[in-house]
Amino acid sequence: MLKGKDIIDASDLNKLDVEELLILAENIIENPREYADTCKGKLLGSLFFEPSTRTRLSFESAMLRLGGEIIGFSDPDSSSVQKGENLPDTIKTVASYTDLIVMRHPKEGAPRYAADSTDIPIINAGDGGHQHPTQTLTDLLTIKQAKGKIENFTIGLCGDLKFGRTVHSLIKAICQYEGIKFVLISPEELQIPEYIKGEILDKSKSEYREVERLEQVIEELDILYMTRVQKERFFNEADYVRLKDSYILDMEKLKNAKEDLTILHPLPRVNEISVEVDSDPRAWYFKQMRFGMFIRMALIMKILGEE
Ligand code: CP
């Protein structure tokens, strides 16, 4: 039961919750008009303390398409945060007007802290380099649409695996499915954090290996999940400049890839996928961002108990 629940971390959704959300999202894709008034009279608080295009606009579109309404900000400097108001007071304020809050924050743990200051549900729309659970739902819906199932794949996660919160959430969720093998492709400096290896991959007995070169493994992948090097999480500009173009997926690199490879990217991209790849049928990342709206419609409905 997701009604009234906070979604802070990928582990707040069990496999059954995810299955139900995927089924509902697929139903919404097929019959969007049937859901047009589902959240009439409900109000979503949309609080983005950090920039976003897809997550914010897909949540807001989702609520509007369900017949609900939205208040919030996309720039905290336009709110009383700029005057020094603390996070719990901001959350209490918005919670007194709304039924559900979606928030993104640069500090890891901020959504959990926010959830402790209110009784209305909080959805984490990304906290620092930590978690982005609704991107994971988006990724799982895209995999289901592309492959028809979520089991028995070799998935390559490529790029900034250290700071990439979408990767951390995705590993946590997808390791619950059978027969998933991970290939973790990154420069040494951007390898997956030890706690993900110890607490998630090792604990779930997932098969994984770490490599530095994409060319070395591309032919064995069923899914390739590209990520951006997270400039905003670096302490040092020189390190970012040195690492930012570590991986650029182009048609040359795809020459050895499977014909039914599914290429995903949470977006935004900077340089890591060449635009020539966009028209390849294996590129699913623009469909993926649209699926994000449908899965968020499903999540809002379930959390508000408006099925
Ligand atoms: N995927 C994602 O989180 O994109 P935005 O930063 O544009 O929301």
Side-chain angles (χ1 to χ4, degrees), residues 4-8 12 47 91 95 99-103 110-125 303:
K5 199 171 171 185
D6 300 313
I7 307 297
I8 307 296
D12 291 323
L47 306 185
I91 295 296
D99 301 290
L100 167 68
I101 291 176
V102 172
M103 66 174 284
R112 179 79 67 203
Y113 186 45
D116 289 342
S117 36
T118 178
D119 289 334
I120 75 161
I122 300 282
I123 301 178
N124 177 8
I303 289 182

Side-chain angles (χ1 to χ4, degrees), residues 48 51-56 104 125 132 135 165-166 266-268:
F48 279 73
S52 166
T53 300
R54 275 145 293 270
T55 311
R56 182 173 71 84
R104 170 172 288 185
H132 193 347
Q135 179 63 47
R165 58 193 174 199
T166 65
L267 302 177

Side-chain angles (χ1 to χ4, degrees), residues 52-217:
S52 166
T53 300
R54 275 145 293 270
T55 311
R56 182 173 71 84
L57 296 179
S58 65
F59 260 117
E60 295 184 3
S61 311
M63 191 57 169
L64 292 170
R65 283 177 185 271
L66 293 169
E69 295 186 73
I70 311 142
I71 58 166
F73 54 75
S74 56
D75 174 7
D77 282 348
S78 68
S79 75
S80 288
V81 172
Q82 202 267 344
K83 300 175 202 161
E85 186 164 61
N86 66 31
L87 183 63
D89 288 358
T90 301
I91 295 296
K92 282 190 180 85
T93 306
V94 179
S96 66
Y97 312 136
T98 60
D99 301 290
L100 167 68
I101 291 176
V102 172
M103 66 174 284
R104 170 172 288 185
H105 202 283
K107 287 209 175 111
E108 302 184 4
R112 179 79 67 203
Y113 186 45
D116 289 342
S117 36
T118 178
D119 289 334
I120 75 161
I122 300 282
I123 301 178
N124 177 8
D127 60 329
H130 182 222
Q131 288 272 311
H132 193 347
T134 65
Q135 179 63 47
T136 295
L137 291 172
T138 302
D139 303 339
L140 295 175
L141 177 59
T142 312
I143 292 170
K144 176 111 185 287
Q145 290 275 318
K147 304 285 197 198
K149 59 175 184 143
I150 310 180
E151 292 93 21
N152 299 313
F153 292 123
T154 299
I155 175 165
L157 301 160
C158 179
D160 185 349
L161 308 188
K162 180 178 180 183
F163 296 116
R165 58 193 174 199
T166 65
V167 168
H168 304 164
S169 290
L170 181 57
I171 289 176
K172 217 169 196 178
I174 207 170
C175 73
Q176 299 180 70
Y177 290 81
E178 265 183 44
I180 300 292
K181 294 180 191 163
F182 296 96
V183 185
L184 306 172
I185 309 153
S186 71
E188 204 181 336
E189 295 95 322
L190 297 179
Q191 280 181 351
I192 203 89
E194 286 302 320
Y195 80 91
I196 303 269
K197 287 192 224 168
E199 291 171 26
I200 302 166
L201 290 166
D202 293 338
K203 229 177 223 174
S204 64
K205 298 190 171 52
S206 296
E207 195 176 321
Y208 73 94
R209 68 188 211 271
E210 294 180 281
V211 299
E212 282 201 33
R213 285 175 56 79
L214 176 58
E215 294 88 327
Q216 205 181 317
V217 293

Side-chain angles (χ1 to χ4, degrees), residues 197-241:
K197 287 192 224 168
E199 291 171 26
I200 302 166
L201 290 166
D202 293 338
K203 229 177 223 174
S204 64
K205 298 190 171 52
S206 296
E207 195 176 321
Y208 73 94
R209 68 188 211 271
E210 294 180 281
V211 299
E212 282 201 33
R213 285 175 56 79
L214 176 58
E215 294 88 327
Q216 205 181 317
V217 293
I218 197 160
E219 64 190 36
E220 49 183 287
L221 304 179
D222 301 301
I223 297 164
L224 173 56
Y225 193 92
M226 297 296 293
T227 61
R228 172 178 70 90
V229 175
Q230 306 273 306
K231 182 179 184 185
E232 63 275 32
R233 317 265 175 243
F234 276 74
F235 294 112
N236 176 333
E237 173 84 12
D239 284 347
Y240 169 70
V241 170

